[in-house]
Amino acid sequence: MTADDNRLNRRDVLKGTGAAGLAGIGLTAGCVSTADETPTPTESSGGGGGGGGDDDDTATPTEGGDMGAYEIGMVNSLTGSLSAFGARNERGMELALESVNGVGIGGRELSIIVEDSESQAQAGVSAAQKLVNQDQVPFVIGAVGSGVSLAIYESVIQSTDVVQLSQNSTSPDLTNFPGLLRMSPTGRTQSTALADIISEDGYDSVAVAWVNNDYGQGLRDAFVDAWEGDVAYDSPHDQGQSSYSSTVSEMANSEADAWLFITYQPEFTAMAQEAFSNGYEAQYYGADSVQGSDVLADTPEGSLEGMKIVTPSAAVEEQNYQDFASRFEEAYDQTPSSWAAFAYDCVITAALSIATADEFTGAALQETVRDVTRPEGEQVTTFAEAMEVLGEDGSPSDIDYQGVSGPIDFDENGDPVGFLQIFSVEDHEYVSTGFTSA
Amino acid sequence: MSVLEYIANGLVFSSIIVLASIGLSLVYSIADFANFAHGDTMTVGAYGTLVTFGFVGGLGGTVLGLPYGFFVALVVGIVVAAVVAVVTQRLVYEPLDIGSIGLLITSIGVAFVYRALVRLGFGADPREYAVELQRPIEALVPYGIRMTVHDVAIVGSAALLVTGLHLLLQYTDLGRKMRAMADNPDLARVSGIRTGRIRIWTWLIGAGLAGAGGGFLGLYNNVGPRMGFDILLVVFAAVILGGIGSVYGAMLGGLLIGMIDQMTPILGDVGIPIGTEYSYAIAFVIMVAVLLVRPTGIAGEAGS
């Protein structure tokens, strides 16, 4: 990446610079998928003589009449421990491309170069380097694991104006990087929603039992931050303990009337049984991890009556989600997961930001990507509808894309609004009682 | 009034630990190695009970909120645990001539095999016996004691089994031979005791008690593939505290460790900021403290 090399080579091998300077890592990542997925070399050579984006002045507009596809990148977990997520993302992405290319962006198509992160930070960074430096995409969707997303942001994206939008990362850490957008809300939103619900129900004191790991600690911290009342009991417990009677006794002795469980199903089941056997009664609340049919089967009828549980959810009652779900079922013969919905919305959001940008560059997309989902404009639920509202020269604030995964509405930290479904236990069944965003 | 509640909780939990500890100590006394498969032997007993209970179901009437069928199933669970342990002893431990450390490591492997087989057969999800969960006994609630009749059944059955074992050890021919062999196997053999047969009996009784402990643990909490392994460390603490190899020490150690574990909330109540998540740590600290004073454990014999 030295300047000397660049200057010497620029005249002779315009296109070569990016590759030459950065080939070291980019090429070792040289994934199988690259060979057949770079169909428009003309465009990248036309647009990006500067190599990598540290040369802003050379980023020429793309209006030079080329009608090839807009190319963006995606770092996905095609292999490795998160490959199940990768597969869901693939499906969501393909459906979204169908939606976008059915309409087109100003007569051009959208194409996505997919690279594998192997679910690991090192390989993820290589994949992103290849996309940014070699393929010169201005928009990268990626990655799945939070650690991978952060590594990519810190070592590849941060110094450029390329847009990064993570499809599946949920760690609270990403909130500290406003430049790194994500589609999946942080786990914190669940805690905030729970704090709101408990105080709306009129309780000012709560007993919180949380499982002693990152998940429990994270949700508990966020809850305590958001909760304004008294926390009468606030203790962790280990998974797989042989006895939870001390936990339950202490919750009862704390004399809080609202009990919040941030733990897993078997642990919660044991505690609910213990509370029942001890004759304790309280209003229960729970994180989504305590919800399950096994829990209902193993607790006595009536022992959970009125319990409220908040779970992250796609916009399952909206028309656009239902259309998405039925298309998904038709194509893949299974119901979509929320992860597929996140990937779907990533692609639509990217397409809308391209459609409203002045030019196809990272700098221009940075200007539009947040606004297309924010509440200022007219609410639209599909890509086609959005393009209709935008017409010939709409601006990003004319539309407010409502995703299949929720309202999105990126905040100043690049986090979407959490869209959550509230369940309550009635007659020993989970009944959806509404949605909330936080 | 919460102290009485903690004591009641402790009594129930101790009952399970005591049953498991006795078995572990018995096996140690004659086989001379720490059997890490003991916890998973409990799991085997619990699943034996679970499966049998599924067949016999609500047989006959009920006592203490439990159908007679449950006790039948429990006996089957005990037998299954005992048989599995004896078969393992004959196939694995006995042919191995590798010293007590080698046997200890082997028993960890055996524990993994038990657990894997249980998971293969029944999946990893926790199960429940099909018995109705009980509410606390009304008469005791005003005193702050919240025990169900199931808790009473656990404590009562454990007391019965412990008494039975005591009578067996003290007043029967088999018991005397077992004690003789635990004291000195060579002397026992030259005295004409058939040590092989006594060894089998000891395994049967030790593993059977573990099976009973597992069966009750399933009633107390739930039945899952890790249930026995998760409780094994406290059981070891109880056995060491009581003096390893001593049956009566194991009873006392089990009672103490179970009580300490369930009494931990008192610390919080009197303002010491140590939460219940440290209950095992506290139990082990107390164990170490006792061993510093009495290196052989509470009832261990000096100089053995």
Side-chain angles (χ1 to χ4, degrees):
Chain A
M1 234 200 300
T2 61
D4 284 346
D5 276 355
N6 264 349
R7 187 164 310 187
L8 278 174
N9 291 340
R10 170 167 272 159
R11 226 160 261 194
D12 317 320
V13 209
L14 241 186
K15 189 190 163 216
T17 50
L22 296 143
I25 309 160
L27 286 185
T28 47
C31 302
V32 194
S33 60
T34 60
D36 51 346
E37 287 198 68
T38 46
T40 52
T42 44
E43 173 175 316
S44 40
S45 66
D54 38 4
D55 249 346
D56 285 341
D57 56 331
T58 53
T60 46
T62 51
E63 276 123 39
D66 48 330
M67 295 301 285
Y70 287 113
E71 272 191 337
I72 63 170
M74 178 168 183
V75 180
N76 198 7
S77 289
L78 300 178
T79 58
S81 57
L82 299 176
S83 58
F85 290 85
R88 295 163 184 151
N89 287 329
E90 284 276 278
R91 300 182 195 119
M93 180 196 81
E94 276 166 27
L95 279 190
L97 276 180
E98 230 172 72
S99 303
V100 170
N101 292 336
V103 179
I105 308 171
R108 293 170 63 177
E109 293 211 323
L110 179 69
S111 91
I112 299 181
I113 307 172
V114 180
E115 293 290 338
D116 184 13
S117 70
E118 299 169 25
S119 308
Q120 287 176 5
Q122 191 57 50
V125 167
S126 303
Q129 257 159 352
K130 186 255 172 195
L131 288 170
V132 169
N133 298 321
Q134 194 174 317
D135 302 319
Q136 304 198 331
V137 298
F139 196 117
V140 173
I141 298 172
V144 179
S146 299
V148 183
S149 294
L150 275 179
I152 290 175
Y153 182 72
E154 290 185 311
S155 32
V156 185
I157 304 291
Q158 203 161 24
S159 57
T160 70
D161 51 18
V162 172
V163 179
Q164 185 187 355
L165 171 58
S166 161
Q167 63 270 45
N168 289 167
S169 300
T170 57
S171 159
D173 292 345
L174 269 70
T175 303
N176 304 324
F177 297 85
L180 168 50
L181 301 168
R182 60 166 138 190
M183 193 53 76
S184 47
T186 118
R188 295 181 73 92
T189 59
Q190 218 182 96
S191 302
T192 321
L194 280 165
D196 290 347
I197 292 169
I198 299 175
S199 77
E200 269 166 33
D201 286 353
Y203 295 100
D204 50 14
S205 176
V206 63
V208 190
W210 45 282
V211 63
N212 203 357
N213 61 20
D214 281 355
Y215 166 77
Q217 176 98 48
L219 255 61
R220 175 262 171 205
D221 289 352
F223 176 81
V224 172
D225 282 349
W227 172 251
E228 287 173 356
D230 177 35
V231 184
Y233 171 83
D234 174 22
S235 279
H237 52 264
D238 288 324
Q239 256 180 285
Q241 272 176 223
S242 308
S243 162
Y244 289 102
S245 41
S246 323
T247 302
V248 171
S249 299
E250 283 204 298
M251 290 177 92
N253 292 336
S254 77
E255 285 174 8
D257 293 323
W259 292 10
L260 171 59
F261 298 93
I262 303 172
T263 184
Y264 300 117
Q265 292 180 27
E267 285 72 22
F268 172 68
T269 305
M271 290 179 200
Q273 290 175 345
E274 189 69 36
F276 179 84
S277 294
N278 282 339
Y280 296 128
E281 307 223 331
Q283 170 66 44
Y284 294 168
Y285 296 90
D288 67 304
S289 51
V290 301
Q291 182 190 28
S293 50
D294 287 349
V295 174
L296 290 182
D298 290 343
T299 49
E301 197 90 12
S303 60
L304 303 180
E305 194 64 21
M307 177 175 192
K308 289 187 183 170
I309 292 167
V310 168
T311 82
S313 164
V316 289
E317 292 194 337
E318 302 296 330
Q319 187 59 43
N320 63 337
Y321 179 83
Q322 284 162 8
D323 292 345
F324 164 73
S326 65
R327 276 174 60 203
F328 195 98
E329 270 159 38
E330 210 169 282
Y332 306 110
D333 206 22
Q334 53 179 293
T335 47
S337 66
S338 48
W339 308 105
F342 290 138
Y344 181 91
D345 280 342
C346 281
V347 175
I348 302 289
T349 303
L352 288 175
S353 69
I354 294 167
T356 51
D358 297 335
E359 51 183 31
F360 189 58
T361 62
L365 296 182
Q366 288 284 7
E367 297 291 313
T368 59
V369 62
R370 291 169 179 78
D371 281 344
V372 291
T373 74
R374 280 188 178 158
E376 293 93 52
E378 185 175 333
Q379 290 201 351
V380 292
T381 57
T382 64
F383 181 74
E385 196 185 336
M387 292 307 281
E388 216 165 275
V389 170
L390 286 171
E392 281 295 300
D393 54 352
S395 79
S397 51
D398 290 347
I399 49 169
D400 170 17
Y401 174 60
Q402 302 286 306
V404 294
S405 67
I408 309 177
D409 296 350
F410 292 119
D411 66 11
E412 68 277 13
N413 299 317
D415 288 340
V417 156
F419 194 65
L420 303 144
Q421 190 167 13
I422 307 169
F423 288 93
S424 88
V425 177
E426 286 168 24
D427 297 329
H428 224 57
E429 293 287 341
Y430 296 112
V431 180
S432 169
T433 54
F435 293 85
T436 183
S437 25
Chain B
M1 275 299 117
S2 51
V3 175
L4 284 178
E5 185 189 346
Y6 299 146
I7 293 177
N9 286 346
L11 206 57
V12 183
F13 194 50
S14 294
S15 303
I16 294 161
I17 309 258
V18 165
L19 289 178
S21 310
I22 295 173
L24 189 60
S25 209
L26 262 182
V27 169
Y28 181 86
S29 72
I30 50 119
D32 215 28
F33 75 96
N35 180 17
F36 270 78
H38 196 70
D40 293 276
T41 310
M42 294 173 74
T43 312
V44 169
Y47 275 92
T49 309
L50 179 79
V51 171
T52 317
F53 190 49
F55 284 119
V56 299
L59 191 74
T62 62
V63 56
L64 292 172
L66 293 168
Y68 296 155
F70 178 79
F71 293 98
V72 174
L74 187 69
V75 170
V76 176
I78 291 173
V79 171
V80 171
V83 168
V84 166
V86 168
V87 169
T88 313
Q89 142 77 1
R90 292 306 283 268
L91 291 181
V92 182
Y93 302 131
E94 199 170 77
L96 281 173
D97 185 18
I98 48 176
S100 59
I101 295 293
L103 283 172
L104 185 155
I105 303 293
T106 307
S107 72
I108 296 176
V110 169
F112 281 128
V113 173
Y114 285 177
R115 203 178 324 150
L117 289 176
V118 164
R119 205 173 286 163
L120 271 177
F122 304 96
D125 292 331
R127 309 269 202 101
E128 298 282 337
Y129 300 129
V131 294
E132 207 173 308
L133 221 58
Q134 299 293 308
R135 301 293 274 181
I137 302 167
E138 289 295 336
L140 296 177
V141 172
Y143 304 100
I145 302 171
R146 292 163 177 275
M147 278 179 101
T148 65
V149 285
H150 285 170
D151 294 338
V152 174
I154 293 173
V155 176
S157 310
L160 213 62
L161 287 170
V162 169
T163 312
L165 180 71
H166 167 71
L167 295 177
L168 177 96
L169 285 175
Q170 296 301 329
Y171 302 109
T172 67
D173 188 45
L174 174 65
R176 270 189 289 274
K177 287 174 178 166
M178 281 168 67
R179 284 187 290 139
M181 207 183 132
D183 279 348
N184 189 329
D186 295 333
L187 197 57
R189 185 178 295 134
V190 296
S191 315
I193 294 174
R194 294 183 182 176
T195 50
R197 192 175 292 174
I198 300 301
R199 183 168 285 128
I200 299 273
W201 271 109
T202 314
W203 271 98
L204 277 174
I205 293 169
L209 288 173
F216 288 128
L217 183 59
L219 181 63
Y220 177 65
N221 195 334
N222 52 37
V223 181
R226 281 184 62 93
M227 60 187 290
F229 185 75
D230 283 334
I231 205 172
L232 183 64
L233 269 184
V234 246
V235 172
F236 264 113
V239 170
I240 309 267
L241 178 65
I244 191 155
S246 156
V247 170
Y248 296 99
M251 292 177 192
L252 190 61
L255 187 67
L256 281 174
I257 291 284
M259 278 290 177
I260 293 166
D261 182 78
Q262 295 292 316
M263 301 287 263
T264 323
I266 286 182
L267 292 176
D269 293 351
V270 299
I272 302 169
I274 297 178
T276 48
E277 69 270 28
Y278 300 109
S279 64
Y280 278 16
I282 293 167
F284 273 80
V285 166
I286 291 177
M287 181 195 87
V288 171
V290 169
L291 291 181
L292 283 173
V293 181
R294 255 192 91 85
T296 52
I298 296 172
E301 287 156 38
S304 70

